[in-house]
Amino acid sequence: MNHEKSKAAFAKACEVIPGGVNSPVRAFQSVGGEPIFVDHAKGSHIVDIDGNEYIDYICSWGPFVLGHSHPMMAEGALEAIQRGISYGLPTEIETRMAELICSAYKSAEMVRMVNSGTEATMSAIRAARGYTGKDKIIKFEGCYHGHSDCLLVKSGSGALTFGMPTSPGVPADVVKNTLVCRYNDLVSVKETVEANQGEIAAIILEPIAGNMGVIPPRPGFLEGLRTLCTEQGIVLIFDEVISGFRAAFGGASELYGVDPDMVCFGKIIGSGLPVGAYAGKREIMSVISPKGPVYQAGTLSGNPLAMFMGLKLLAYLKEHREIYQRVEEYAAKLEAGMRDLLTKHGLRYQINRVGSLLCLFFTEQEVISYDDVKTCDTTKFSKYFQCMLGRGILLAPSQFEAMFVSAAHTQEDLEKTLHAMDQALSACEE
Ligand code: KE4
């Protein structure tokens, strides 16, 4: 494949954009080489500026559950633009979006629109702290909730797993109230809650982890957190930025039958435009300004164009629940084909899948927490990624991300993907 134009575009971008990209993972640094620059996308395929075509398993990190540039999404978009894109005043379509989200999630009695997943989780944490009057929060190692300071934290040393910043620029003071536990390890949570009795405002987690590859909750994990939070008066926050409206119409909450106190959204609800939201029980959301004293604001929050596009997708998914069966079926066939190939190659790598999210881990260890993910051979993954890219299969450029499947992926895509994987695994073992 020729990537000359992408190479030139990257060099030019690096002159005026840090790392040449507007979000780090796009730079391909963890898989080597340089990023491709996209010209356009349609359905399950992306075409780069050198004219190379790929079967896309990034799907813009989740939003495009119907595939790229779905014809239905363009209908009415021009009229929406011509009505004015933003007014800085309320519009009825914002209410319709909030009502739709509330119809999908039992724990969503009120909703506030924001502009990204980061804003959604940051604001939900502030609401929980304002509602409980407590400062400490618990997150889980390997879960990513966006780049707000108090959540850019990894496990610290010491029994209480005090958080340590994962990034320069985040003062240690800001993360001293962020405690870090081990995903799928309820005991670690109970011990941390016990050691911080009456001080914890919230527990936040991805109910289906999608930022350390894909890791489903172990049976009893979500239920245990629900019980613990109810007993202790802790706000349970599900970060469903990835899983919301993707794992099921009602997300992981519906899939596992566990209702948090608050839920955060992004990605799909904007159908590719910058939209986030946080929602929760009325008594919690009522602390948010201007109803309550907890301040949170956003110039373009709920802007009518983004609401038009997001609502169009969510309303479609509400009326066409067969979409979830469609993506599940493709992903299940892909997983089965991948497992057959691993057997053929005598490899015992792990595959985790939940619905249309899946991940091939380059480790022989069962993957149920971040400790397990850290045993992956990322060098081999990088070689695999490049081999697949060279054969027209675009995977997420990191071992620690998910493969996303859309309703646009076809049987032909499946066959091409598995054929490329067969060759890539051979190349990796050389
Ligand atoms: P944004 O601020 O990027 O819209 O959302 C942050 C966020 C919050 N919560 C979860 C569970 C998320 O996965 C994300 C963002 N996800 C990453 C990749 N998994 C987005 C890709 C990127 O950072 O460019």
Side-chain angles (χ1 to χ4, degrees):
M1 277 184 171
N2 173 354
H3 292 141
E4 288 314 307
K5 287 181 180 174
S6 280
K7 199 171 178 62
F10 187 51
K12 199 171 176 184
C14 285
E15 291 301 311
V16 287
I17 303 173
V21 292
N22 282 310
S23 198
V25 71
R26 302 176 192 172
F28 281 21
Q29 283 185 359
S30 66
V31 290
E34 294 186 349
I36 58 172
F37 277 59
V38 177
D39 180 74
H40 66 279
K42 180 73 178 168
S44 59
H45 289 212
I46 264 186
V47 180
D48 69 20
I49 58 175
D50 289 287
N52 302 306
E53 185 162 344
Y54 308 88
I55 299 169
D56 177 26
Y57 289 104
I58 300 177
C59 294
S60 180
W61 303 101
F64 294 109
V65 65
L66 298 183
H68 293 285
S69 316
H70 190 286
M72 177 271 294
M73 293 309 295
E75 290 157 17
L78 184 58
E79 290 76 8
I81 291 170
Q82 288 167 337
R83 294 172 65 87
I85 293 177
S86 175
Y87 313 111
L89 291 169
T91 58
E92 291 175 293
I93 195 168
E94 295 164 75
T95 308
R96 291 201 298 275
M97 172 64 105
E99 288 170 340
L100 185 138
I101 291 173
C102 291
S103 75
Y105 285 79
K106 266 191 256 173
S107 48
E109 294 175 339
M110 298 192 94
V111 185
R112 170 59 64 85
M113 303 309 300
V114 290
N115 301 284
S116 69
T118 294
E119 265 194 277
T121 57
M122 174 181 75
S123 308
I125 295 281
R126 187 179 308 140
R129 283 171 162 162
Y131 172 70
T132 59
K134 302 169 185 172
D135 293 339
K136 289 183 178 176
I137 61 171
I138 289 176
K139 77 172 289 283
F140 293 86
E141 187 153 40
C143 284
Y144 175 70
H145 304 291
H147 64 88
S148 61
D149 279 358
C150 78
L151 288 166
L152 276 185
V153 167
K154 65 186 175 198
S155 272
S157 55
L160 294 186
T161 62
F162 281 114
M164 286 167 52
T166 55
S167 164
V170 176
D173 252 6
V174 166
V175 299
K176 68 172 188 264
N177 287 315
T178 305
L179 307 174
V180 183
C181 290
R182 190 166 174 271
Y183 197 79
N184 274 326
D185 179 351
L186 204 50
V187 171
S188 76
V189 185
K190 287 178 177 174
E191 286 170 353
T192 303
V193 169
E194 191 56 41
N196 296 272
Q197 265 302 334
E199 297 180 80
I200 297 175
I203 294 177
I204 185 169
L205 77 156
E206 295 173 58
I208 300 167
N211 284 286
M212 44 177 161
V214 177
I215 300 184
R218 304 280 280 176
F221 181 57
L222 299 181
E223 298 82 351
L225 290 176
R226 177 64 281 170
T227 302
L228 183 63
C229 287
T230 303
E231 288 168 353
Q232 299 282 335
I234 295 172
V235 175
L236 179 59
I237 303 174
F238 277 6
D239 175 350
E240 295 224 38
V241 167
I242 287 182
S243 54
F245 296 99
R246 175 175 270 276
F249 186 68
S253 305
E254 174 187 321
L255 205 58
Y256 297 104
V258 176
D259 294 317
D261 301 304
M262 299 185 80
V263 57
C264 301
F265 302 98
K267 299 182 192 284
I268 281 189
I269 70 167
S271 75
L273 292 187
V275 177
Y278 62 105
K281 291 175 181 165
R282 189 175 301 278
E283 59 186 308
I284 300 175
M285 294 299 288
S286 295
V287 304
I288 296 293
S289 173
K291 184 164 176 63
V294 177
Y295 195 71
Q296 183 270 312
T299 304
L300 297 175
S301 296
N303 76 79
L305 176 62
M307 295 297 98
F308 175 83
M309 296 300 282
L311 196 54
K312 187 186 267 277
L313 177 57
L314 296 190
Y316 185 87
L317 292 173
K318 184 167 186 173
E319 295 311 312
H320 299 82
R321 303 295 176 94
E322 71 277 6
I323 292 289
Y324 294 101
Q325 188 185 346
R326 168 80 188 275
V327 293
E328 166 88 32
E329 282 169 3
Y330 183 97
K333 284 181 190 170
L334 179 59
E335 177 190 2
M338 288 166 71
R339 290 186 185 285
D340 289 347
L341 287 173
L342 292 174
T343 303
K344 172 187 173 187
H345 289 265
L347 296 168
R348 294 172 45 226
Y349 295 152
Q350 301 293 309
I351 297 174
N352 285 351
R353 180 176 71 83
V354 180
S356 59
L357 292 175
L358 64 163
C359 182
L360 169 61
F361 293 95
F362 279 61
T363 181
E364 296 184 353
Q365 190 162 320
E366 185 191 14
V367 180
I368 63 167
S369 80
Y370 188 61
D371 293 341
D372 307 318
V373 175
K374 286 189 286 190
T375 67
C376 288
D377 182 335
T378 52
T379 304
K380 268 192 182 165
F381 174 82
S382 303
K383 194 172 177 184
Y384 170 72
F385 172 87
Q386 294 295 347
C387 288
M388 293 289 270
L389 187 73
R391 289 165 177 79
I393 311 299
L394 180 59
L395 303 173
S398 163
Q399 167 70 93
F400 308 115
E401 297 287 356
M403 286 177 81
F404 292 91
V405 167
S406 79
H409 282 85
T410 64
Q411 180 62 29
E412 186 184 356
D413 290 336
L414 182 68
E415 288 159 12
K416 279 184 179 174
T417 303
L418 293 174
H419 180 63
M421 182 179 174
D422 194 8
Q423 295 177 320
L425 288 176
S426 299
C428 283
E429 297 312 310
E430 280 165 7

